[in-house]
């Protein structure tokens, strides 16, 4: 996502994308359209559908929420 001020933010993980990082924020492995990264890297995908982007954003948010809950109550989360 590009803000009107010029700031770049990844739609999937909501990380700030600096000029130094640029496209290296995204998976660089070649793949067939609609397929997962063959190298199983954890970088965000640049070429996906809106549905795939939304599903990935939900996964990232879920993982972050679980980690936050574990930090707040380590014995309450499994």
């Amino acid at each position: 996502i590009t803000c009107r001020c010029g700031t770049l933010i990844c739609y999937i993980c909501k990380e700030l994308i600096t000029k130094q990082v640029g496209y290296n924020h995204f998976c660089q492995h070649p793949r067939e359209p609609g397929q997962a990264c063959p190298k199983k890297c954890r970088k965000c995908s640049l070429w996906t559908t809106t549905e795939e982007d939304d599903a990935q954003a939900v996964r990232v948010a879920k993982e972050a929420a679980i980690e936050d809950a574990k930090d707040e109550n380590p014995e309450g989360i499994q």
Side-chain angles (χ1 to χ4, degrees), residues 59-74 76-78:
R59 281 192 297 276
V60 168
K62 179 181 175 182
E63 290 171 6
I66 289 171
E67 288 303 313
D68 288 347
K70 284 180 183 178
D71 290 344
E72 291 178 18
N73 186 6
I77 303 296
Q78 299 170 349

Side-chain angles (χ1 to χ4, degrees), residues 20-76:
Q20 292 83 9
V21 173
Y23 280 99
N24 288 322
H25 173 83
F26 301 98
C27 174
Q28 302 293 311
H29 300 110
R31 60 180 144 180
E32 294 295 320
Q35 299 298 313
C37 174
K39 303 287 185 181
K40 308 276 189 235
C41 76
R42 303 285 295 161
K43 292 186 175 185
C44 296
S45 179
L46 183 60
W47 305 107
T48 56
T49 65
T50 303
E51 292 80 12
E52 290 171 316
D53 290 345
D54 290 343
Q56 177 66 16
V58 168
R59 281 192 297 276
V60 168
K62 179 181 175 182
E63 290 171 6
I66 289 171
E67 288 303 313
D68 288 347
K70 284 180 183 178
D71 290 344
E72 291 178 18
N73 186 6
E75 296 176 14

